[in-house]
Amino acid sequence: MFFLAAFVAGLIVYSTFRVLAGCLYTVSPDQRAVVTSFGAAQIMPGTRQAADAGNPSLSDDEVQRYEYPQVQVIRPGGPYFKMPWQTVHKVTVATQAVDLSWDPSKYQETIEAVTKDNLTTGVNGQIRYRISESNLYPFLFGVTSPLEHVMGYFVSVLRERIANFVDPKGQSLLEATELETGDGDGKADAASSSAVELSEGVSINDLRKNLPLLNQYMEEQCRNTTARYGIELDAALITEIDPPAEVDRALSAINSTRNQVAADISTARADSEQQITMSARAVEIATNNAQAEVAPLQELAGTLASIKKEGGSACLQAYLRNARVPLFKRAGRFLIKTSSDKGANQ
């Protein structure tokens, strides 16, 4: 009888300490906790918070649909005590990264998407996210797997964007071409130049050139995940867009040919501009030479006119006679026109 009483007493003491030990818990600095009693979380009184009424990315219908309550959050520290019928839900609020191909339902190395050219391409990258401390209710109790929902939403938006992506530079060139066509001969060259650049538009090339723009678009479109799932998207880092191998080889050949053509066009433009510059310089030099030859004659004409005006014809004849003297000294022989020559000419 004594042994039975001692066994029961020991069992009670063990159960008591075991239960008490299980009722103590701590929360690390990168964690937040929510305590539920029989599955119900403690709701903050008078703070039935709208999901994110000030978020411009949410429509009025979504604001009403995702109106979640604000739960009481246990801050880092401890040890805390809970009753045996209570459950502690801990979540990590530090920024985390997950591959874009992550999917708990299947294994995949890349995300497949169809471009505007009907080419199937593979997309890889990461997204950085953190759990919203101020909106833990939808993360813990809204859906079964909120991160899986966020990834599905992100991939859907990404595929829609890739399927309709148009290079903004190409679009602006198209508008410029439409405006400039038919406005005059001077704008025809600019229109043809725009047409050449437009011919380089291939969806995969455009996507590769505009990865920062694509990442920015994804971040803007996924800002409402905080209100929907309690997960804040910190950044989208799409790093690879790779088509199938046979398509990649064809694109490489096309790009090489276009680069060669672009290099030839640039060389031809440089040569033509150099020729135009040299021609303009030659014209300028010829003009200066002509002006240099004309200037002394104009000065001499002005001098003769001034002599005749001030001294008359006699003074002008005397000046001419004196001016001939240095010429006679330099000439080897000269002819003098006499009065008989004048009569013979008549």
Side-chain angles (χ1 to χ4, degrees):
M1 188 64 182
F2 173 76
F3 290 103
L4 181 60
F7 176 74
V8 172
L11 183 61
I12 294 174
V13 171
Y14 173 77
S15 301
T16 301
F17 278 99
R18 185 64 182 270
V19 169
L20 289 176
C23 291
L24 297 177
Y25 67 95
T26 59
V27 180
S28 60
D30 62 335
Q31 290 181 331
R32 302 294 183 270
V34 174
V35 178
T36 58
S37 300
F38 299 107
Q42 184 175 358
I43 305 301
M44 298 296 290
T47 57
R48 190 169 180 78
Q49 181 188 21
D52 195 354
N55 192 339
S57 62
L58 291 176
S59 63
D60 295 338
D61 179 65
E62 289 175 330
V63 171
Q64 298 296 326
R65 185 189 310 169
Y66 300 114
E67 184 180 3
Y68 294 112
Q70 183 80 3
V71 296
Q72 185 176 13
V73 178
I74 307 299
R75 308 288 298 179
Y80 296 105
F81 181 81
K82 71 177 183 64
M83 302 305 291
W85 56 85
Q86 291 181 324
T87 304
V88 179
H89 302 271
K90 297 180 182 178
V91 295
T92 301
V93 295
T95 301
Q96 304 175 63
V98 61
D99 290 337
L100 197 60
S101 58
W102 177 81
D103 190 340
S105 63
K106 61 181 179 181
Y107 173 77
Q108 56 184 1
E109 294 182 350
T110 184
I111 295 294
E112 291 187 350
V114 180
T115 67
K116 196 174 183 180
D117 300 336
N118 292 325
L119 294 177
T120 301
T121 183
V123 183
N124 275 325
Q126 286 186 336
I127 62 171
R128 287 205 308 260
Y129 70 95
R130 58 176 174 269
I131 299 171
S132 174
E133 181 181 350
S134 60
N135 202 21
L136 285 178
Y137 188 92
F139 179 78
L140 291 174
F141 313 112
V143 293
T144 302
S145 180
L147 182 58
E148 186 177 356
H149 280 73
V150 169
M151 291 300 296
Y153 176 76
F154 184 89
V155 171
S156 299
V157 175
L158 177 62
R159 284 173 171 161
E160 186 272 339
R161 182 58 174 168
I162 290 177
N164 299 283
F165 186 83
V166 178
D167 186 5
K169 180 182 178 183
Q171 188 66 27
S172 62
L173 288 173
L174 179 61
E175 294 174 356
T177 303
E178 292 175 350
L179 291 174
E180 292 175 355
T181 301
D183 288 344
D185 297 336
K187 297 180 179 179
D189 295 339
S192 61
S193 176
S194 299
V196 171
E197 296 185 26
L198 273 176
S199 65
E200 299 179 358
V202 178
S203 294
I204 292 181
N205 291 338
D206 294 342
L207 287 168
R208 285 173 169 172
K209 288 188 300 183
N210 295 278
L211 279 181
L213 188 63
L214 187 62
N215 288 327
Q216 181 182 358
Y217 175 82
M218 298 305 301
E219 293 173 7
E220 293 175 354
Q221 293 299 314
C222 294
R223 283 176 182 169
N224 55 13
T225 56
T226 304
R228 290 188 175 191
Y229 308 110
I231 296 178
E232 298 177 11
L233 182 66
D234 184 61
L237 303 172
I238 301 171
T239 56
E240 298 179 8
I241 297 181
D242 296 325
E246 58 275 13
V247 177
D248 196 18
R249 286 194 294 272
L251 285 175
S252 298
I254 293 173
N255 291 335
S256 299
T257 304
R258 286 176 174 167
N259 291 336
Q260 183 62 40
V261 171
D264 294 342
I265 292 175
S266 299
T267 303
R269 285 179 177 173
D271 291 341
S272 62
E273 291 177 358
Q274 184 178 8
Q275 293 295 331
I276 293 173
T277 303
M278 293 176 63
S279 301
R281 182 63 178 170
V283 171
E284 183 180 358
I285 292 174
T287 302
N288 292 336
N289 290 335
Q291 290 177 351
E293 292 180 359
V294 169
L297 298 177
Q298 291 179 341
E299 183 66 21
L300 178 60
T303 302
L304 296 176
S306 177
I307 293 173
K308 184 177 181 180
K309 182 178 180 181
E310 295 179 359
S313 299
C315 183
L316 178 61
Q317 292 297 330
Y319 175 81
L320 293 177
R321 184 179 61 253
N322 294 332
R324 290 193 189 102
V325 174
L327 295 178
F328 289 155
K329 292 180 179 178
R330 296 170 57 184
R333 62 178 183 175
F334 51 89
L335 300 177
I336 299 176
K337 194 173 184 179
T338 61
S339 57
S340 58
D341 296 333
K342 293 181 180 179
N345 293 332
Q346 292 175 355

